[in-house]
Amino acid sequence: MAPYESDDRTTAGEVDEPRTGRRRAARYVVPVTVMGVAAATIGLVPAIASSGDPDLPEITAAQLIEKIAQSDVEQLSGTVKITTDLGLPDLGGLESGLMSGAMEQGGDDGSSADPSAKLTELASGTHTLRIAADGPDRQKVSILENAAEYSLIHNGKDVWGYDSASNEVYHGTAEASGKDREQRRPPATPKGFAEEALKAVDDTTSVTVDGTAQVAGRDAYRLVVKPRQSGSTVGAISIAVDHRTGMPLKFTLTPSSGGAAVVDVGFTKVSFDRPAASTFEFTPPKGAEVTEEGALDRGREHSRGPERGPKSEEDLAKGLDGMRMLGEGWNTVATFDTGAGGGMPTGDAGGDVEGFLGSLGDQVKGEFGTGTVFSTRLVNALFTDDGKVYVGAVTKDALVKAADAGK
């Protein structure tokens, strides 16, 4: 078992007792990747609350993780604040230009109420959400904006998206979207982030209880997850767990480079009473433009045309079929071959896009050859000139080493 690397002090709540059964999962958005985070060694020594914090019964990290796993909260409502700071470059007015170009290529069949596009706004900045849930078949999340609101409602088989700013409505079905019970939950909740962070357990990580806290007026334990390995961009993950229900109330991920949290999501208000049934009822407002899920998909295919298909996306899909994982634990790096030899995949836009993307990255060399590294405060992605991609929540140097080792 690897020793604790940060110092030689004993941390309350931590002993060397590994669990088995590590699982790794990753979802990719090029050039930025969102990866499932591995958790590891479970502490058995209880932590004591500091002065001024809630005085709760002692609990070990193993018991607290079990409490999270056994949490059966199905009814709730509340307000969630989410802040995401990946440290992406400020593109200024170029963002609107790129979006306009994308709209021209994609046709005018899109809908501002389409959740697949709207919820990506949560990937940056600070947002306030109202969330409600009543079992696996009724959820609602509303993104509050200046003088406007976007709501995503799941009620039985129906999925509705409504953008009050444009008075546009999206309608689909859970079955058509292939969503199972686990996927039919309000997005961007502390519980979802915590489950991703605790998906895997091995000896590359320490998991400890670090006292108590109050979140949204409720007493909670603080669970802290830290990598033992050097080379990770993750500094620490803090999860505030409701001491009565076992439900995560707040999730904070800070980078190893320091500074503000990369992801900070937590309830500011929460109730575990059953929401009124009317919360999940929705009827399109008078005069609203309603887009059906099937019509939206057909519109995209029609506007794309047989000769304008995104060859780079096809190449990436082929490459993902052959994805390999290099390294272990927090230093895991995913690699795949795009099949686009000669540099980064650029689709129809050609060299202009390649030149622009290249200006946002750092040129690197190694035994693997040459390539470009795109960096955020959490994830780095290396595109080699021969068409391979290496992605991980690791430093640029660790990424280059992984590429050299995987050559």
Side-chain angles (χ1 to χ4, degrees):
M1 178 176 301
Y4 190 81
E5 295 181 356
S6 62
D7 54 42
D8 295 325
R9 295 172 296 178
T10 300
T11 304
E14 178 186 357
V15 297
D16 292 335
E17 183 170 321
R19 280 190 177 182
T20 58
R22 181 180 63 205
R23 293 186 297 144
R24 292 178 289 186
R27 293 183 300 162
Y28 294 89
V29 179
V30 177
V32 178
T33 300
V34 179
M35 298 189 66
V37 181
T41 306
I42 305 301
L44 298 178
V45 179
I48 309 299
S50 301
S51 176
D53 291 330
D55 186 11
L56 301 177
E58 296 180 357
I59 192 170
T60 68
Q63 291 169 337
L64 190 52
I65 288 178
E66 184 177 2
K67 191 177 184 72
I68 296 173
Q70 293 178 348
S71 178
D72 59 356
V73 173
E74 290 198 338
Q75 288 86 33
L76 66 87
S77 59
T79 304
V80 171
K81 182 178 179 181
I82 177 171
T83 299
T84 309
D85 181 10
L86 286 170
L88 296 172
D90 183 6
L91 302 181
L94 184 58
E95 287 186 11
S96 58
L98 291 174
M99 288 298 295
S100 299
M103 290 295 291
E104 289 175 4
Q105 288 199 2
D108 55 2
D109 298 306
S111 169
S112 66
D114 183 356
S116 64
K118 193 68 178 179
L119 294 180
T120 60
E121 295 179 7
L122 300 180
S124 63
T126 298
H127 304 271
T128 300
L129 287 68
R130 279 203 303 259
I131 288 177
D134 182 10
D137 296 320
R138 289 183 174 183
Q139 297 96 32
K140 179 178 180 179
V141 57
S142 297
I143 304 174
L144 308 184
E145 303 169 336
N146 293 331
E149 182 175 311
Y150 174 81
S151 293
L152 178 63
I153 304 135
H154 169 219
N155 190 356
K157 68 177 183 179
D158 290 309
V159 176
W160 295 95
Y162 175 59
D163 183 5
S164 67
S166 62
N167 200 30
E168 292 187 20
V169 175
Y170 165 92
H171 178 241
T173 63
E175 291 81 0
S177 300
K179 298 176 181 178
D180 58 24
R181 283 176 173 261
E182 285 299 308
Q183 292 173 312
R184 297 181 215 165
R185 296 184 304 191
T189 63
K191 179 177 175 63
F193 281 99
E195 288 177 345
E196 286 297 312
L198 297 173
K199 271 185 174 181
V201 173
D202 65 18
D203 61 356
T204 67
T205 312
S206 74
V207 182
T208 63
V209 181
D210 185 24
T212 63
Q214 266 215 342
V215 178
R218 298 185 65 87
D219 294 343
Y221 296 102
R222 275 198 300 256
L223 188 70
V224 176
V225 179
K226 291 183 179 181
R228 293 179 179 274
Q229 301 164 297
S230 61
S232 173
T233 54
V234 176
I237 292 173
S238 176
I239 304 168
V241 184
D242 184 58
H243 91 286
R244 291 193 179 277
T245 66
M247 178 175 169
L249 299 175
K250 187 175 176 63
F251 175 97
T252 304
L253 187 156
T254 53
S256 58
S257 59
V262 174
V263 177
D264 186 44
V265 52
F267 283 96
T268 57
K269 295 180 181 178
V270 66
S271 169
F272 295 109
D273 295 331
R274 172 171 288 174
S278 58
T279 303
F280 310 100
E281 296 174 356
F282 180 79
T283 300
K286 184 178 180 179
E289 179 182 350
V290 180
T291 301
E292 294 292 335
E293 183 176 37
L296 185 61
D297 292 340
R298 287 192 298 272
R300 287 169 177 161
E301 289 298 321
H302 175 74
S303 64
R304 179 177 297 161
E307 299 301 322
R308 298 178 64 184
K311 297 181 178 61
S312 61
E313 290 182 12
E314 295 172 1
D315 291 337
L316 286 173
K318 292 177 182 177
L320 289 173
D321 290 338
M323 183 186 299
R324 294 186 298 131
M325 296 294 186
L326 307 176
E328 63 175 355
W330 298 81
N331 288 351
T332 298
V333 171
T335 180
F336 55 93
D337 193 337
T338 66
M344 295 173 290
T346 58
D348 297 322
D352 291 342
V353 171
E354 183 175 4
F356 168 69
L357 291 177
S359 69
L360 298 179
D362 297 325
Q363 304 302 308
V364 294
K365 295 180 180 180
E367 295 179 14
F368 69 87
T370 58
T372 305
V373 172
F374 297 94
S375 299
T376 72
R377 299 176 66 216
L378 183 63
V379 175
N380 286 324
L382 166 61
F383 288 77
T384 68
D385 289 345
D386 60 359
K388 294 184 177 60
V389 179
Y390 297 85
V391 187
V394 298
T395 63
K396 182 172 68 174
D397 290 342
L399 194 64
V400 171
K401 289 181 180 178
D404 287 341
K407 179 173 169 48

